[in-house]
Amino acid sequence: MATVLTQVGEEWIVDVLDGTSPGTQYIGWGTGAGTAGKSDTTLFTEASEARQSATRSQPAADKIRYVATMTADGSKTITNAGVLTALTGGTLIIHGDFTGIPLQQNDQIQFTIDMEIT
């Protein structure tokens, strides 16, 4: 299991800092298998549910936190999630994989994804 700041995510951060990229982020989830890696540009088999707008906070001077709740539209097993820059398409900033979580319709997962600059 891994959670990574992707290469395209690093490039997006630079664009935000220099004012050429907007700051809205979304959380999405997927059902595919794999280990999150720095070169990832998409979730593993992104699921059919719409990405959810992430609530952002800053729990420490060097950390940003993204929180959103996703609701299953049917039976599926969620294996990965990430922070993305758009409701569709966009840039995958942070990608994490985990042991599959089986869901039934209307089950929910609240994701809290932290990015710390070290």
Side-chain angles (χ1 to χ4, degrees):
M1 295 186 294
T3 301
V4 297
L5 173 61
T6 65
Q7 180 61 43
V8 292
E10 287 182 5
E11 294 163 8
W12 174 83
I13 290 169
V14 171
D15 289 344
V16 168
L17 292 173
D18 74 10
T20 60
S21 237
T24 303
Q25 291 90 49
Y26 300 86
I27 291 181
W29 63 11
T31 59
T35 300
K38 188 150 187 78
S39 63
D40 293 346
T41 58
T42 62
L43 296 170
F44 304 133
T45 315
E46 188 162 359
S48 54
E49 294 82 6
R51 297 172 185 170
Q52 296 299 304
S53 182
T55 300
R56 293 178 298 186
S57 63
Q58 188 177 351
D62 62 349
K63 185 182 292 185
I64 186 167
R65 175 169 290 157
Y66 302 95
V67 178
T69 301
M70 303 281 298
T71 302
D73 63 8
S75 298
K76 58 188 73 189
T77 299
I78 301 302
T79 59
N80 66 117
V83 177
L84 301 108
T85 62
L87 192 55
T88 59
T91 300
L92 178 63
I93 304 167
I94 302 168
H95 189 200
D97 67 87
F98 42 84
T99 301
I101 302 170
L103 301 176
Q104 300 299 316
Q105 185 169 1
N106 297 320
D107 284 349
Q108 296 182 326
I109 299 175
Q110 181 181 50
F111 289 98
T112 300
I113 301 172
D114 288 343
M115 178 175 60
E116 183 176 3
I117 306 299
T118 59

